[in-house]
Amino acid sequence: MTGLRLAAVGDNCIDRFLTQKIARVGGNALNVAVHFAKAGHDAAYFGAVGDDEDGRWTRQELVFNAVNVDGLDIRPEITAYTDIAHSAEGDRQFLFEEFGASATYFPGPDAIKTLRAADHVHFGLLNESDLLCEELKGSGATVSVDCAVNPLTAPVDLAFGSVGEDLQAAQAEMERLLALGHGLVVVTRGAEGAIASDGTTTWNIAGKPIRAVDTTGAGDTFIAHFIATWKMSGDVETALNWATMAAADNCLYLGGFPQEGRVLSS
């Protein structure tokens, strides 16, 4: 471990790939936490799972991937799940989402104290994110948000957007997020790469040519590796390059990170 303390807060789910008849642990914030650890950092996940088999499986995968689970709440609900299908051409379709125990999660006082001691806190889909931003003010932790899933209104240090491959749409989203007061904005463009700006300088990186198996979790992988590299180097161009390579690699397998998975019953 490098000593860099990184935390992801928010959603998790069981990704149920109906076409392939396999399930895997995932979710925006959880995937980011796992990839923080894969990048060699001290990683922690804060979220909620149900008191059920899927919840126990989720915790097991986090522990296996060296993610601290002290902030994982176990609730008398079901663990969130997402039904995903792939067309004959390989295009991904989200058929149904059940948010379960994740729906109303918010970190308690002890969890907030731990988050305030982190070097960086990332928000995935999270209930009352603006309130948590207030709780983290003055802590010294930098904060980021995945704006594709979280409608946070408070300005943070680093905001991620995603609107598809079109460059004009990505530029418009970048300008919109900068206008909200975010310090640095990164907008991913799928296979076309990503753009970034701090309002003064703009960066652009092309995607890596690959034959994708599945794009689930590619954005989360990008986010985690961008944050880790940016925090270590302070260099946006370097962070974009590492993040783009990591996201491309993630598209070579099913799900948000490598795991055995479970066979879905018919």
Side-chain angles (χ1 to χ4, degrees), residues 101 142 164 198 244 246:
T142 49
D198 59 5
T244 302

Side-chain angles (χ1 to χ4, degrees), residues 9-34:
V9 191
D11 58 316
N12 65 81
C13 71
I14 302 299
D15 288 324
R16 307 198 310 192
F17 296 96
L18 304 185
T19 306
Q20 294 85 358
K21 299 188 183 304
I22 193 168
R24 294 196 166 169
V25 172
N28 297 90
L30 183 143
N31 288 338
V32 170
V34 168

Side-chain angles (χ1 to χ4, degrees), residues 18-20 84-95 212-214:
L18 304 185
T19 306
Q20 294 85 358
I84 304 170
H86 287 81
S87 68
E89 294 75 27
D91 295 326
R92 185 182 54 168
Q93 300 170 302
F94 291 99
L95 303 181
V213 172
D214 174 49

